[in-house]
Amino acid sequence: MKHIVSGIQPTGSLNLGTYLGSIKNFIDVQRRHPEHQLLLFIADLHALTVPQDKMKLRKTIKELAALYLASGLNQDTLSLFIQSEIPAHAQMAYLLQCFTYMGELERMTQFKDKAQKQTKGVSSALFTYPALMAGDILLYDAQYVPVGEDQKQHLELTRDIAIRLNNRFGSMVTVPEPLIPKVGARIMSLTDPTKKMSKSDVNVKSRVNLLDDETLIRKRIMSAVTDSEDTIRYDTKEKPGIANLITIYSAITGQAIPAVEATFKDSDYATFKRAVADAVIGELAPIQARYHELKASPELDRILDEGKAYADRFATNKIRKLQNALGLGRKRK
Ligand code: TYM
């Protein structure tokens, strides 16, 4: 079975950026690759690289699992699981750290950004995080990895590590390809459209969360920072706020960016923002309804158990193969 692998950290509330950059793309990727199994996980080990509140973390893990399912993924070719429930992820992370160089990790822009924001001690796990992520992917011989733009550098490093392992040990792992959506790979903050929309932004007005109600979504979009020109034109340098709203509208409706510009060429900003808010609300309402049903049903645990069994079998075999190649322990089949 060929695999597609991706994950999301269970930190904070899921927002429109994560949804358009990843979850919505998963649905499209599943449609384009019906012969692949999609392995999706909740990256709770990744979340631990910065301090977490135990109760909040546990709650968010379940919420994220329900949101994944509520978003309309095809369950026939989906294995959904929680990263920490598969011991092979932590094992693989250590093994891959032995094949990852300090210089490579020091170049990771996400580490530099996150370390800068961290006021107290920066954990060594935040630094080695890309090796954990490479392990998530290489454990399953993922052919494709759908992610947003900000994960591109981690994917490049994963490919380098995979090639390194294969050069050393023969064909050990599949070298993965990133699948980055053409539109929506980098949704920007609503209050500062030069920064990416992020669940860790202290300004709650900077984002729309997937579980926000209609009134709040409308409020957030209507107050999104724009400019004073009052023409709807896609220009990320001069008009980053409007360009971001055009991107959101395009990613949701499937209308190409020039078509969106043409549709709204005579509209003022308020009219355009109302249309964007309507599109976002229309997209999220059915997801929210399914989410509330799923969260209360035993179905969710059943799906997570099934996903765990599938992933565990595959990952444990891969670890064994690598341990044998490295000469660790006693030779095992
Ligand atoms: P995370 O949890 O930060 O984000 C999850 C996914 O959402 C995308 N994303 C965005 N896309 C567009 N616009 C935005 N503003 C935006 N914010 C987030 C991210 O690119 C990502 O695809 N390290 C990963 C999780 C991970 C993973 C993996 C992913 C761990 N192991 C293995 C793929 C394969 C992360 O922190 O994503």
PDB file of all heavy atoms in Angstrom, residues 17-18 20-22 25 147-151 179-188 196 247 251:
ATOM      1  N   GLY A  17      -6.038  29.210   8.582  1.00  0.00           N
ATOM      2  CA  GLY A  17      -4.756  29.000   7.900  1.00  0.00           C
ATOM      3  C   GLY A  17      -4.428  27.522   7.832  1.00  0.00           C
ATOM      4  O   GLY A  17      -4.150  26.967   6.768  1.00  0.00           O
ATOM      5  N   THR A  18      -4.494  26.856   8.984  1.00  0.00           N
ATOM      6  CA  THR A  18      -4.207  25.420   9.028  1.00  0.00           C
ATOM      7  C   THR A  18      -5.201  24.662   8.154  1.00  0.00           C
ATOM      8  O   THR A  18      -4.841  23.719   7.451  1.00  0.00           O
ATOM      9  CB  THR A  18      -4.333  24.898  10.478  1.00  0.00           C
ATOM     10  OG1 THR A  18      -3.887  25.894  11.364  1.00  0.00           O
ATOM     11  CG2 THR A  18      -3.567  23.625  10.670  1.00  0.00           C
ATOM     12  N   LEU A  20      -6.984  25.751   5.460  1.00  0.00           N
ATOM     13  CA  LEU A  20      -6.805  25.922   4.006  1.00  0.00           C
ATOM     14  C   LEU A  20      -5.450  25.404   3.535  1.00  0.00           C
ATOM     15  O   LEU A  20      -5.321  24.883   2.436  1.00  0.00           O
ATOM     16  CB  LEU A  20      -6.981  27.399   3.617  1.00  0.00           C
ATOM     17  CG  LEU A  20      -8.395  27.955   3.828  1.00  0.00           C
ATOM     18  CD1 LEU A  20      -8.446  29.440   3.473  1.00  0.00           C
ATOM     19  CD2 LEU A  20      -9.431  27.194   3.000  1.00  0.00           C
ATOM     20  N   GLY A  21      -4.422  25.539   4.402  1.00  0.00           N
ATOM     21  CA  GLY A  21      -3.085  25.089   4.006  1.00  0.00           C
ATOM     22  C   GLY A  21      -2.917  23.584   4.103  1.00  0.00           C
ATOM     23  O   GLY A  21      -2.063  23.013   3.446  1.00  0.00           O
ATOM     24  N   SER A  22      -3.721  22.939   4.944  1.00  0.00           N
ATOM     25  CA  SER A  22      -3.523  21.493   5.075  1.00  0.00           C
ATOM     26  C   SER A  22      -4.813  20.689   4.947  1.00  0.00           C
ATOM     27  O   SER A  22      -4.971  19.947   3.980  1.00  0.00           O
ATOM     28  CB  SER A  22      -2.771  21.167   6.366  1.00  0.00           C
ATOM     29  OG  SER A  22      -3.540  21.445   7.490  1.00  0.00           O
ATOM     30  N   ASN A  25      -6.602  20.675   1.699  1.00  0.00           N
ATOM     31  CA  ASN A  25      -5.731  20.048   0.697  1.00  0.00           C
ATOM     32  C   ASN A  25      -5.742  18.516   0.826  1.00  0.00           C
ATOM     33  O   ASN A  25      -5.649  17.805  -0.178  1.00  0.00           O
ATOM     34  CB  ASN A  25      -4.312  20.608   0.860  1.00  0.00           C
ATOM     35  CG  ASN A  25      -3.403  20.229  -0.280  1.00  0.00           C
ATOM     36  OD1 ASN A  25      -3.843  20.069  -1.422  1.00  0.00           O
ATOM     37  ND2 ASN A  25      -2.126  20.059   0.007  1.00  0.00           N
ATOM     38  N   VAL A 147       1.479  19.585   2.936  1.00  0.00           N
ATOM     39  CA  VAL A 147       1.737  20.564   4.010  1.00  0.00           C
ATOM     40  C   VAL A 147       1.599  21.985   3.457  1.00  0.00           C
ATOM     41  O   VAL A 147       1.583  22.190   2.246  1.00  0.00           O
ATOM     42  CB  VAL A 147       3.176  20.435   4.589  1.00  0.00           C
ATOM     43  CG1 VAL A 147       3.314  19.271   5.544  1.00  0.00           C
ATOM     44  CG2 VAL A 147       4.220  20.367   3.491  1.00  0.00           C
ATOM     45  N   GLY A 148       1.554  22.949   4.372  1.00  0.00           N
ATOM     46  CA  GLY A 148       1.586  24.361   3.978  1.00  0.00           C
ATOM     47  C   GLY A 148       3.026  24.795   3.726  1.00  0.00           C
ATOM     48  O   GLY A 148       3.977  24.061   4.025  1.00  0.00           O
ATOM     49  N   GLU A 149       3.134  26.006   3.212  1.00  0.00           N
ATOM     50  CA  GLU A 149       4.430  26.565   2.807  1.00  0.00           C
ATOM     51  C   GLU A 149       5.486  26.544   3.935  1.00  0.00           C
ATOM     52  O   GLU A 149       6.668  26.265   3.699  1.00  0.00           O
ATOM     53  CB  GLU A 149       4.137  28.018   2.381  1.00  0.00           C
ATOM     54  CG  GLU A 149       5.275  28.818   1.872  1.00  0.00           C
ATOM     55  CD  GLU A 149       5.721  28.396   0.482  1.00  0.00           C
ATOM     56  OE1 GLU A 149       4.855  28.079  -0.346  1.00  0.00           O
ATOM     57  OE2 GLU A 149       6.947  28.393   0.275  1.00  0.00           O
ATOM     58  N   ASP A 150       5.039  26.788   5.185  1.00  0.00           N
ATOM     59  CA  ASP A 150       6.008  26.919   6.284  1.00  0.00           C
ATOM     60  C   ASP A 150       6.718  25.603   6.631  1.00  0.00           C
ATOM     61  O   ASP A 150       7.677  25.613   7.392  1.00  0.00           O
ATOM     62  CB  ASP A 150       5.331  27.512   7.533  1.00  0.00           C
ATOM     63  CG  ASP A 150       4.209  26.648   8.070  1.00  0.00           C
ATOM     64  OD1 ASP A 150       3.787  25.704   7.375  1.00  0.00           O
ATOM     65  OD2 ASP A 150       3.750  26.916   9.196  1.00  0.00           O
ATOM     66  N   GLN A 151       6.237  24.492   6.090  1.00  0.00           N
ATOM     67  CA  GLN A 151       6.879  23.200   6.392  1.00  0.00           C
ATOM     68  C   GLN A 151       7.833  22.752   5.286  1.00  0.00           C
ATOM     69  O   GLN A 151       8.428  21.674   5.370  1.00  0.00           O
ATOM     70  CB  GLN A 151       5.814  22.113   6.624  1.00  0.00           C
ATOM     71  CG  GLN A 151       4.936  22.365   7.831  1.00  0.00           C
ATOM     72  CD  GLN A 151       5.735  22.463   9.123  1.00  0.00           C
ATOM     73  OE1 GLN A 151       6.702  21.733   9.329  1.00  0.00           O
ATOM     74  NE2 GLN A 151       5.353  23.395   9.982  1.00  0.00           N
ATOM     75  N   LEU A 179       3.525  18.052  -1.033  1.00  0.00           N
ATOM     76  CA  LEU A 179       2.417  18.518  -1.877  1.00  0.00           C
ATOM     77  C   LEU A 179       1.905  19.806  -1.240  1.00  0.00           C
ATOM     78  O   LEU A 179       1.224  19.769  -0.213  1.00  0.00           O
ATOM     79  CB  LEU A 179       1.290  17.482  -1.916  1.00  0.00           C
ATOM     80  CG  LEU A 179       1.552  16.152  -2.621  1.00  0.00           C
ATOM     81  CD1 LEU A 179       0.319  15.259  -2.530  1.00  0.00           C
ATOM     82  CD2 LEU A 179       1.924  16.360  -4.086  1.00  0.00           C
ATOM     83  N   ILE A 180       2.284  20.916  -1.832  1.00  0.00           N
ATOM     84  CA  ILE A 180       1.919  22.221  -1.271  1.00  0.00           C
ATOM     85  C   ILE A 180       0.819  22.828  -2.140  1.00  0.00           C
ATOM     86  O   ILE A 180       0.991  22.907  -3.365  1.00  0.00           O
ATOM     87  CB  ILE A 180       3.173  23.123  -1.194  1.00  0.00           C
ATOM     88  CG1 ILE A 180       4.173  22.451  -0.230  1.00  0.00           C
ATOM     89  CG2 ILE A 180       2.836  24.530  -0.732  1.00  0.00           C
ATOM     90  CD1 ILE A 180       5.509  23.101  -0.097  1.00  0.00           C
ATOM     91  N   PRO A 181      -0.326  23.212  -1.550  1.00  0.00           N
ATOM     92  CA  PRO A 181      -1.418  23.707  -2.398  1.00  0.00           C
ATOM     93  C   PRO A 181      -1.027  24.971  -3.162  1.00  0.00           C
ATOM     94  O   PRO A 181      -0.232  25.770  -2.662  1.00  0.00           O
ATOM     95  CB  PRO A 181      -2.551  23.992  -1.409  1.00  0.00           C
ATOM     96  CG  PRO A 181      -1.907  24.082  -0.071  1.00  0.00           C
ATOM     97  CD  PRO A 181      -0.650  23.264  -0.124  1.00  0.00           C
ATOM     98  N   LYS A 182      -1.581  25.113  -4.372  1.00  0.00           N
ATOM     99  CA  LYS A 182      -1.237  26.291  -5.192  1.00  0.00           C
ATOM    100  C   LYS A 182      -1.789  27.562  -4.556  1.00  0.00           C
ATOM    101  O   LYS A 182      -1.162  28.603  -4.578  1.00  0.00           O
ATOM    102  CB  LYS A 182      -1.804  26.120  -6.607  1.00  0.00           C
ATOM    103  CG  LYS A 182      -1.008  25.121  -7.411  1.00  0.00           C
ATOM    104  CD  LYS A 182      -1.203  25.331  -8.924  1.00  0.00           C
ATOM    105  CE  LYS A 182      -0.412  24.294  -9.685  1.00  0.00           C
ATOM    106  NZ  LYS A 182      -1.004  22.929  -9.545  1.00  0.00           N
ATOM    107  N   VAL A 183      -3.002  27.457  -4.022  1.00  0.00           N
ATOM    108  CA  VAL A 183      -3.614  28.613  -3.363  1.00  0.00           C
ATOM    109  C   VAL A 183      -3.906  28.217  -1.914  1.00  0.00           C
ATOM    110  O   VAL A 183      -4.473  27.155  -1.667  1.00  0.00           O
ATOM    111  CB  VAL A 183      -4.940  29.001  -4.060  1.00  0.00           C
ATOM    112  CG1 VAL A 183      -5.595  30.194  -3.371  1.00  0.00           C
ATOM    113  CG2 VAL A 183      -4.699  29.323  -5.528  1.00  0.00           C
ATOM    114  N   GLY A 184      -3.495  29.064  -0.960  1.00  0.00           N
ATOM    115  CA  GLY A 184      -3.830  28.791   0.449  1.00  0.00           C
ATOM    116  C   GLY A 184      -2.676  28.201   1.238  1.00  0.00           C
ATOM    117  O   GLY A 184      -2.840  27.864   2.408  1.00  0.00           O
ATOM    118  N   ALA A 185      -1.493  28.082   0.627  1.00  0.00           N
ATOM    119  CA  ALA A 185      -0.358  27.467   1.330  1.00  0.00           C
ATOM    120  C   ALA A 185       0.213  28.379   2.414  1.00  0.00           C
ATOM    121  O   ALA A 185       0.969  27.939   3.266  1.00  0.00           O
ATOM    122  CB  ALA A 185       0.744  27.106   0.339  1.00  0.00           C
ATOM    123  N   ARG A 186      -0.150  29.665   2.345  1.00  0.00           N
ATOM    124  CA  ARG A 186       0.323  30.584   3.383  1.00  0.00           C
ATOM    125  C   ARG A 186      -0.742  31.654   3.607  1.00  0.00           C
ATOM    126  O   ARG A 186      -0.742  32.710   2.967  1.00  0.00           O
ATOM    127  CB  ARG A 186       1.651  31.208   2.948  1.00  0.00           C
ATOM    128  CG  ARG A 186       2.337  31.970   4.044  1.00  0.00           C
ATOM    129  CD  ARG A 186       3.755  32.380   3.620  1.00  0.00           C
ATOM    130  NE  ARG A 186       4.343  33.234   4.625  1.00  0.00           N
ATOM    131  CZ  ARG A 186       4.924  32.783   5.736  1.00  0.00           C
ATOM    132  NH1 ARG A 186       5.001  31.500   5.970  1.00  0.00           N
ATOM    133  NH2 ARG A 186       5.424  33.623   6.608  1.00  0.00           N
ATOM    134  N   ILE A 187      -1.665  31.357   4.497  1.00  0.00           N
ATOM    135  CA  ILE A 187      -2.717  32.320   4.832  1.00  0.00           C
ATOM    136  C   ILE A 187      -2.147  33.258   5.890  1.00  0.00           C
ATOM    137  O   ILE A 187      -1.484  32.835   6.832  1.00  0.00           O
ATOM    138  CB  ILE A 187      -3.972  31.571   5.384  1.00  0.00           C
ATOM    139  CG1 ILE A 187      -4.535  30.621   4.317  1.00  0.00           C
ATOM    140  CG2 ILE A 187      -5.039  32.562   5.872  1.00  0.00           C
ATOM    141  CD1 ILE A 187      -5.065  31.273   3.064  1.00  0.00           C
ATOM    142  N   MET A 188      -2.392  34.558   5.690  1.00  0.00           N
ATOM    143  CA  MET A 188      -1.746  35.547   6.547  1.00  0.00           C
ATOM    144  C   MET A 188      -2.678  36.002   7.683  1.00  0.00           C
ATOM    145  O   MET A 188      -3.895  35.812   7.628  1.00  0.00           O
ATOM    146  CB  MET A 188      -1.323  36.758   5.702  1.00  0.00           C
ATOM    147  CG  MET A 188      -0.512  36.395   4.457  1.00  0.00           C
ATOM    148  SD  MET A 188       0.902  35.349   4.808  1.00  0.00           S
ATOM    149  CE  MET A 188       2.131  36.566   5.187  1.00  0.00           C
ATOM    150  N   LYS A 196       2.278  35.232   9.000  1.00  0.00           N
ATOM    151  CA  LYS A 196       1.356  34.117   8.738  1.00  0.00           C
ATOM    152  C   LYS A 196       0.305  34.014   9.847  1.00  0.00           C
ATOM    153  O   LYS A 196       0.582  34.357  10.993  1.00  0.00           O
ATOM    154  CB  LYS A 196       2.200  32.850   8.540  1.00  0.00           C
ATOM    155  CG  LYS A 196       1.984  31.770   9.481  1.00  0.00           C
ATOM    156  CD  LYS A 196       2.862  30.587   9.292  1.00  0.00           C
ATOM    157  CE  LYS A 196       3.063  30.073  10.713  1.00  0.00           C
ATOM    158  NZ  LYS A 196       3.497  28.766  10.901  1.00  0.00           N
ATOM    159  N   THR A 247      -7.072  35.393  -1.527  1.00  0.00           N
ATOM    160  CA  THR A 247      -6.582  34.012  -1.425  1.00  0.00           C
ATOM    161  C   THR A 247      -7.585  33.138  -0.657  1.00  0.00           C
ATOM    162  O   THR A 247      -7.893  32.020  -1.072  1.00  0.00           O
ATOM    163  CB  THR A 247      -5.208  33.991  -0.700  1.00  0.00           C
ATOM    164  OG1 THR A 247      -4.313  34.808  -1.434  1.00  0.00           O
ATOM    165  CG2 THR A 247      -4.656  32.591  -0.599  1.00  0.00           C
ATOM    166  N   ALA A 251      -9.349  30.015  -2.300  1.00  0.00           N
ATOM    167  CA  ALA A 251      -9.115  28.661  -1.776  1.00  0.00           C
ATOM    168  C   ALA A 251     -10.430  27.989  -1.394  1.00  0.00           C
ATOM    169  O   ALA A 251     -10.594  26.781  -1.568  1.00  0.00           O
ATOM    170  CB  ALA A 251      -8.175  28.728  -0.570  1.00  0.00           C
TER     171      ALA A 251
END
